[in-house]
Amino acid sequence: MDLLTLTSQVLRDPDAVAAESDNHALARLAPPLLVLAVGGAAVLGMAVGASAGPLQSLYAAVKLPALFLVPPMVVLPLVHTFAEACGVPVPWSRLGIATLAGLARSGLLAAAAAPVLWLPFSLDAEYHLAVLAFVGT
């Protein structure tokens, strides 16, 4: 599956991506889903850092993908343990694909919202006004 098709599928029906359960689905889908998640977060990071200049924009583009990826890595084992304790066995591969599909969708939607945050900065608006405009969308 190419990246454009996967992007469309993640945006239209992320449950279908998460439902893929063949033996090699995680190995096949993890790299492109990570690219979508990290790329979208980096685009939003660039827009966030635009208020402070190009160097801060570059730094935020590197930092924000870590902000997207670290919390699921911490919580995923806890979710698996909780599901096992409740008697609902969830395979690691299915849990991983579902998490990556959610991250990819979040990254794509963050990238789509980035121009709304960048526009006030490009018009020399105050930082707080730009944040309020972004949150209001």
Side-chain angles (χ1 to χ4, degrees), residues 63-77 103:
K63 188 172 65 171
L64 202 60
L67 191 66
F68 261 56
L69 296 176
V70 169
M73 286 191 305
V74 171
V75 173
L76 204 57
L103 284 171

Side-chain angles (χ1 to χ4, degrees), residues 1 26 29 53 74 80 82 88 98 110 114 131:
M1 179 180 314
L26 184 60
L29 291 175
V74 171
H80 187 264
F82 184 72
V88 182
V131 171

Side-chain angles (χ1 to χ4, degrees), residues 44-58 60 117 121:
L44 181 64
M46 288 178 69
V48 168
S51 66
L55 186 60
Q56 180 64 28
S57 185
L58 181 65
L117 182 61
F121 291 145

Side-chain angles (χ1 to χ4, degrees), residues 8-118:
S8 176
Q9 192 173 8
V10 163
L11 288 174
R12 292 174 190 257
D13 192 13
D15 292 337
V17 176
E20 292 199 32
S21 60
D22 63 345
N23 291 338
H24 302 290
L26 184 60
R28 184 174 35 88
L29 291 175
L33 288 173
L34 277 172
V35 165
L36 292 175
V38 169
V43 169
L44 181 64
M46 288 178 69
V48 168
S51 66
L55 186 60
Q56 180 64 28
S57 185
L58 181 65
Y59 178 67
V62 171
K63 188 172 65 171
L64 202 60
L67 191 66
F68 261 56
L69 296 176
V70 169
M73 286 191 305
V74 171
V75 173
L76 204 57
L78 299 172
V79 170
H80 187 264
T81 303
F82 184 72
E84 290 288 327
C86 291
V88 182
V90 180
W92 278 106
S93 60
R94 181 167 170 83
L95 195 58
I97 291 174
T99 302
L100 288 172
L103 284 171
R105 186 171 188 176
S106 298
L108 289 168
L109 295 176
V116 175
L117 182 61
W118 175 79

